Amino acid sequence: MSDTPAIELKGISKAFGPVQANKDISIRVMPGTIHGIIGENGAGKSTLMSILYGFYKADSGTIHINGKETAIPDSQAAIDAGIGMVFQHFKLVQNFTVLENVVLGAEDGPRLRPSLAKARKLLSELAEEYELAVDPDATIENLSVGYQQRVEILKALYRKADILILDEPTGVLTPAEADHLFRILKGLKDEGKTIILITHKLREIMDVTDTVSVMRRGEMTATVKTRDTSPEQLAELMVGRKVLLRVQKTPATPYAKVLEVENLRVKDDKGVERLKGISLEVRGGEILGIAGVAGNGQSELLEVLGGYRRAKGVVRINGDQIDLTGRRSDAQSRRARGIAHVPEDRQREGLIMDFHAWENVAFGYHNAPEYQKSKWLMDNRAIKEDTKGKMERFDVRPPIPSLAAKNFSGGNQQKIVLAREIERNPELLLVGQPTRGVDIGAIEFIHQQIVALRDQGKAILLVSVELDEIMSLSDRIAVMFDGKIMGERMPNQTDEKELGMLMAGIDPAAGPVSAKKIAENLNAAAGGH
Amino acid sequence: MDLVTLLQILDSSVRLATPLLFACLAGLFSERAGIFDIGLEGKMLAAAFFSAAVAALTANVWIGALAGIGASLVLSAIHGLASITFRGNQLISGVAINFLAAGLTVLIAQDWFSQGGRTPSLSEFGPNARFTEITLPFADAARDSGPVGLIYSELISGHSILVYVGLLTVPLTWFILFRTRFGLRLRAVGENPAAVDTAGVSVVGLRYAAVAICGILCGLAGAYLATGLQAGFVKDMSSGRGYIALAALIFAKWRPWYALYACLLFGFLQALSLRQDAVERLTQIDVPGQLLDALPYILTVVILAGFVGKAIPPRAGGEPYVKER
């Protein structure tokens, strides 16, 4: 192995308006290694890699590829320099075939047919070499995210990339798919490719990287050999203070049943059945975690319970059956029943991004008596004062009610939603993806708040695609696959492997299964939507 | 109805479908690249005026057609500038172009010709000032040799060159879109411009190319309108054809062959309204002429309201491309 770094960045700086996303960053990535870059959301990881891929232009600094200074003004220059990138949000054309996506931008000539034929041949070779089999004629929108990601990797390899950048590649994958991805990456590394892995998951860094660089607030704070460090040390470097990686909680003491769901069935707008007979219950004083790959019906479950999707079946709150189909079955009626909802997508369903924090805090509770000045007028001052108090109690920074929601970081936005819902003292809290796009420091706080609500004897239904979160926060875990509950487990009597199998629609008790079977199952589930 | 009447109606269907077809394919290129264009109407109108005006001034229809295409391209460039470079609202830009064309054509026509906002009739400027009908070989001889010959001479022969160009543009569009590198990239940029950008291809370049093609085709639509179908420009002579073409485009689900069928259907409806007598003889009902006149527009409304199946437009359509922060 040579001593010349495959990539060397020297003094890279980049500002977006007043925000300094990257501050004088220097990094050396050695060839034939997997180099992790870890940092919280907004630490500047993705910006740095987008600069390397020519998607953004750096304000200052130089890029050296294999020892040679290289200007990368656009993505074509990056491709020419042998850099391939797998973005967090895939850059695929949904209604094109795999083949068309791979060929796009790298065609051989003005006619399409010869390029497609050549790509077809090359894809089958790459599939053999790196366990990257994908049907070249499949349309992207019918593929599961795991397969879509393979297409992105194939795109890079087809363009003869020697350096592969992956931005948060496992966010959308099941544990089994993630393991498969890491096997692929190790295979690529053995072929001499250089891989940069951007992630906020400490476990992945520890598992697969050789070297790890830590970023915080736009600066590179450390670069260490992975074998010389620990998750605790990395977390401290990321956040700048000691953090608790495990949720601190006592065993649950469940009381009476708060939520009972029996045989819930839902069809989506296209008439596809998304919930196929769900039954579950949540007691006061316990957290039921729903695990599953995104898109297996968890969202629909939350929407039905939250009151904005019609369904068939029975739902009872504290023993009273609630109306699931009537004209008055809406979010307002659910709130009246003591159901609070922290939706999965806070930017679309939880907040109005252009509205002030205090306006957002009033949403859904705007009829609350303390917010009324008279029958027709709202008491804005009261709302603002109330918001101020909520922001302080929930450590929202900065605690300014008149700031627009979009001006808060992801973690602080989530705290605003959480404060609004939790402080209404609900019987049942529905909470979807509570820490998606939230910093480690804020994750700790949010988890503490959820556990505190549980300790007051409230029922909590938690939906998350982060298996770590499900395992550490839940008192009981139900796994959803393809609109059904695959099984329930106690967190201390199961492991990621078993849950991962259930998430892929396979009951491990039924005997051994192949990775191929798992992949097929996931694809079948994705194709159904 | 006898064969000759039917053929006459079909014959005028083809003529009336031609400007729709050009405009529809123009919209197809633009919208497939992610640029919505409700300015087809305005571009067509501007092209109609400038082709008629220049044909009148030079007594040469080819120079006129070029001028029409040029005028349409200028408006396309404005639309491109507004919606691609400055990332403005494509609908507003399109509406503005329609207003601009409606006003300017009449104003300039009055200034140049002083005939109340119209151009003089092109028949005054000699045989080369209009696109004339081409009689295909043996058409006259074939007329009397049975129905096939009749169809050949009545329906297939006897159109101006632009009708044939329009029909040939359909397979050409299909080939470009689905069999060439340019077409692949064009379709991709209308679906997901970020995919094109990260693949190292210029989103802006592709979209300008698409808008330019749209301009050329709209130019041909306008030129045919004023120098082929009619003999000169009159105020608002596009009379909603740009919108009908948009409806046809949606009806055709943004596909070239379907676009041809949709435009022929609209052309047929327009042709029917010209032959009220034949319709009444066939149906034995006293059909009001206004109803026949309104048919294409009624169908447009029905299609635009989404009653005819679900059409999925290009996914990135109408959205200016901004690299995400």
Side-chain angles (χ1 to χ4, degrees):
Chain A
M1 207 180 288
S2 76
D3 288 339
T4 316
I7 299 172
E8 185 169 16
L9 303 180
K10 288 185 184 168
I12 297 281
S13 291
K14 172 77 183 171
F16 293 104
V19 183
Q20 189 78 32
N22 286 161
K23 236 179 288 182
D24 192 26
I25 289 187
S26 298
I27 183 176
R28 293 157 63 94
V29 178
M30 302 311 287
T33 64
I34 301 184
H35 191 118
I37 296 184
I38 195 163
E40 297 200 279
N41 294 293
K45 307 173 300 237
S46 294
T47 303
L48 186 67
M49 289 305 120
S50 295
I51 289 170
L52 183 53
Y53 193 66
F55 210 56
Y56 298 141
K57 254 185 93 164
D59 299 336
S60 62
T62 54
I63 299 170
H64 303 254
I65 308 288
N66 296 322
K68 211 168 103 240
E69 183 169 341
T70 312
I72 303 187
D74 53 34
S75 298
Q76 188 61 51
I79 293 166
D80 293 342
I83 300 173
M85 180 138 176
V86 177
F87 286 88
Q88 184 176 3
H89 304 289
F90 305 145
K91 310 291 184 192
L92 296 171
V93 181
Q94 289 291 317
N95 59 359
F96 277 21
T97 63
V98 169
L99 215 50
E100 287 172 324
N101 266 289
V102 168
V103 158
L104 179 66
E107 307 89 344
D108 288 324
R111 299 262 331 253
L112 214 48
R113 280 230 174 116
S115 306
L116 291 176
K118 189 184 136 197
R120 186 183 295 276
K121 194 160 151 285
L122 213 86
L123 280 196
S124 67
E125 289 170 20
L126 288 170
E128 294 256 314
E129 208 174 336
Y130 302 109
E131 293 188 60
L132 275 166
V134 186
D135 173 12
D137 298 313
T139 306
I140 295 296
E141 57 199 351
N142 295 333
L143 292 176
S144 70
V145 276
Y147 273 92
Q148 294 189 16
Q149 188 171 59
R150 286 190 203 180
V151 177
E152 285 283 18
I153 296 174
L154 285 167
K155 261 168 76 178
L157 296 178
Y158 184 75
R159 288 161 170 75
K160 310 240 178 312
D162 288 320
I163 300 160
L164 195 61
I165 308 167
L166 294 106
D167 191 358
E168 300 280 3
T170 59
V172 289
L173 303 183
T174 62
E177 286 176 308
D179 285 345
H180 186 98
L181 171 69
F182 291 141
R183 273 209 309 284
I184 294 168
L185 294 185
K186 281 177 180 156
L188 289 168
K189 177 180 119 172
D190 293 341
E191 292 283 311
K193 309 258 186 213
T194 308
I195 292 159
I196 299 181
L197 177 69
I198 303 173
T199 181
H200 67 278
K201 292 182 185 169
L202 294 164
R203 197 167 46 83
E204 289 171 6
I205 290 285
M206 298 308 293
D207 284 354
V208 294
T209 64
D210 300 301
T211 316
V212 52
S213 297
V214 184
M215 288 187 74
R216 183 169 81 227
R217 294 202 191 119
E219 289 180 83
M220 193 66 83
T221 49
T223 296
V224 289
K225 291 258 180 261
T226 308
R227 61 169 181 271
D228 298 337
T229 187
S230 66
E232 288 75 19
Q233 190 197 2
L234 288 177
E236 199 178 329
L237 284 167
M238 273 165 73
V239 184
R241 64 177 168 86
K242 282 217 183 303
V243 269
L244 295 169
L245 293 179
R246 297 290 300 182
V247 181
Q248 300 285 307
K249 70 179 175 69
T250 53
T253 48
Y255 307 103
K257 291 174 191 169
V258 172
L259 172 70
E260 292 166 272
V261 175
E262 279 168 29
N263 196 22
L264 199 63
R265 290 176 180 275
V266 167
K267 282 189 178 149
D268 69 9
D269 309 331
K270 289 181 192 154
V272 180
E273 193 161 48
R274 302 305 299 271
L275 293 183
K276 302 175 179 172
I278 295 277
S279 297
L280 53 81
E281 58 176 57
V282 190
R283 289 167 179 270
E286 75 165 352
I287 300 174
L288 174 67
I290 307 270
V293 182
N296 277 290
Q298 306 97 310
S299 305
E300 286 77 8
L301 177 63
L302 284 180
E303 285 165 14
V304 170
L305 295 177
Y308 49 104
R309 188 179 280 279
R310 304 289 157 95
K312 284 187 196 141
V314 176
V315 173
R316 277 189 287 269
I317 295 290
N318 289 332
D320 296 339
Q321 189 168 339
I322 60 174
D323 180 13
L324 296 178
T325 50
R327 201 163 53 82
R328 288 183 179 277
S329 166
D330 58 13
Q332 190 70 31
S333 73
R334 299 293 199 274
R335 262 184 229 107
R337 292 275 189 166
I339 302 178
H341 185 187
V342 177
E344 289 186 292
D345 187 342
R346 63 175 162 271
Q347 304 203 344
R348 269 186 46 226
E349 297 171 339
L351 298 165
I352 298 183
M353 300 304 282
D354 287 324
F355 278 27
H356 298 152
W358 66 270
E359 291 168 311
N360 275 298
V361 162
F363 278 134
Y365 301 100
H366 45 272
N367 289 330
E370 69 270 27
Y371 289 167
Q372 313 304 317
K373 197 178 251 171
S374 70
K375 197 176 174 195
W376 303 105
L377 290 175
M378 293 185 76
D379 189 347
N380 289 354
R381 184 175 298 169
I383 299 175
K384 280 180 202 167
E385 266 168 31
D386 186 45
T387 302
K388 179 94 177 151
K390 284 190 165 68
M391 291 175 108
E392 278 162 5
R393 287 189 294 278
F394 274 76
D395 191 32
V396 178
R397 278 177 262 182
I400 303 171
S402 58
L403 212 58
K406 64 180 175 196
N407 294 330
F408 291 94
S409 73
N412 285 306
Q413 290 169 3
Q414 189 69 316
K415 286 185 204 167
I416 293 174
V417 179
L418 222 64
R420 175 177 76 202
E421 302 300 335
I422 286 183
E423 291 223 335
R424 289 284 157 185
N425 208 17
E427 292 296 309
L428 168 68
L429 179 70
L430 309 170
V431 50
Q433 321 298 348
T435 56
R436 178 185 279 170
V438 169
D439 310 337
I440 288 192
I443 289 176
E444 190 187 0
F445 182 86
I446 290 169
H447 283 173
Q448 281 166 0
Q449 295 302 317
I450 293 174
V451 171
L453 191 70
R454 178 204 74 167
D455 290 343
Q456 293 168 30
K458 309 299 185 185
I460 290 159
L461 182 74
L462 164 75
V463 168
S464 177
V465 291
E466 298 277 352
L467 206 44
D468 286 345
E469 180 166 53
I470 291 282
M471 300 223 3
S472 64
L473 209 52
S474 310
D475 300 312
R476 205 148 51 81
I477 300 172
V479 183
M480 273 183 82
F481 172 77
D482 197 22
K484 293 188 285 278
I485 303 268
M486 280 302 292
E488 277 194 22
R489 298 286 187 275
M490 300 304 281
N492 53 3
Q493 289 164 11
T494 185
D495 56 22
E496 295 204 341
K497 192 153 173 263
E498 188 188 20
L499 293 177
M501 299 271 262
L502 289 167
M503 283 161 70
I506 289 156
D507 194 342
V513 278
S514 65
K516 190 159 171 276
K517 170 80 181 144
I518 295 178
E520 279 171 10
N521 254 15
L522 286 171
N523 228 15
H529 308 153
Chain B
M1 199 184 322
D2 59 304
L3 184 61
V4 176
T5 316
L6 179 69
L7 285 178
Q8 281 170 352
I9 292 178
L10 290 180
D11 181 69
S12 68
S13 302
V14 172
R15 285 165 212 272
L16 290 163
T18 297
L20 295 178
L21 184 59
F22 276 122
C24 189
L25 294 173
L28 193 147
F29 273 101
S30 185
E31 301 210 345
R32 277 279 188 167
I35 305 291
F36 281 165
D37 194 351
I38 57 168
L40 297 176
E41 175 85 3
K43 286 202 269 283
M44 218 196 294
L45 192 62
F49 167 69
F50 280 97
S51 56
V54 173
L57 295 174
T58 61
N60 185 327
V61 70
W62 289 101
I63 300 177
L66 279 180
I69 290 171
S72 171
L73 273 173
V74 168
L75 292 182
S76 271
I78 294 173
H79 188 54
L81 204 64
S83 53
I84 304 170
T85 305
F86 295 115
R87 304 189 185 116
N89 185 309
Q90 298 170 8
L91 293 183
I92 292 176
S93 165
V95 170
I97 283 169
N98 287 342
F99 278 123
L100 193 69
L104 269 186
T105 47
V106 178
L107 185 76
I108 300 174
Q110 179 61 21
D111 187 54
W112 287 4
F113 303 104
S114 307
Q115 293 192 3
R118 55 164 62 210
T119 61
S121 170
L122 292 177
S123 41
E124 298 165 21
F125 297 93
N128 293 329
R130 270 193 77 189
F131 282 113
T132 46
E133 287 155 9
I134 299 172
T135 308
L136 292 182
F138 315 116
D140 290 331
R143 181 180 299 275
D144 302 321
S145 60
V148 178
L150 199 60
I151 290 173
Y152 180 73
S153 70
E154 276 288 330
L155 183 58
I156 302 184
S157 170
H159 296 291
S160 82
I161 178 107
L162 287 186
V163 173
Y164 301 110
V165 171
L167 291 173
L168 285 177
T169 310
V170 175
L172 185 67
T173 302
W174 174 85
F175 182 81
I176 290 175
L177 227 47
F178 297 104
R179 287 290 180 270
T180 70
R181 171 175 65 189
F182 175 72
L184 182 77
R185 293 175 174 184
L186 188 90
R187 285 184 289 134
V189 85
E191 291 287 334
N192 185 357
V196 174
D197 195 10
T198 52
V201 182
S202 163
V203 173
V204 170
L206 271 172
R207 288 192 159 171
Y208 267 108
V211 167
I213 294 172
C214 171
I216 292 169
L217 292 174
C218 272
L220 287 170
Y224 177 75
L225 212 54
T227 63
L229 202 59
Q230 316 273 337
F233 171 87
V234 293
K235 178 176 185 289
D236 290 334
M237 75 180 302
S238 51
S239 56
R241 283 188 172 85
Y243 301 109
I244 293 178
L246 276 183
L249 182 60
I250 292 168
F251 199 24
K253 298 186 175 13
W254 292 268
R255 291 168 179 278
W257 285 106
Y258 291 177
L260 173 64
Y261 309 144
C263 291
L264 284 175
L265 173 65
F266 277 109
F268 178 69
L269 292 179
Q270 291 183 338
L272 276 188
S273 69
L274 298 178
R275 291 299 300 266
Q276 194 184 348
D277 58 319
V279 175
E280 282 177 354
R281 237 183 305 141
L282 183 70
T283 57
Q284 304 291 329
I285 304 171
D286 194 13
V287 185
Q290 292 90 335
L291 180 70
L292 281 180
D293 284 340
L295 263 186
Y297 301 96
I298 292 171
L299 184 62
T300 303
V301 170
V302 168
I303 291 172
L304 290 180
F307 288 118
V308 187
K310 190 167 161 52
I312 300 165
R315 249 163 265 203
E319 295 285 326
Y321 177 57
V322 186
K323 286 187 189 193
E324 62 195 286
R325 215 348 292 272

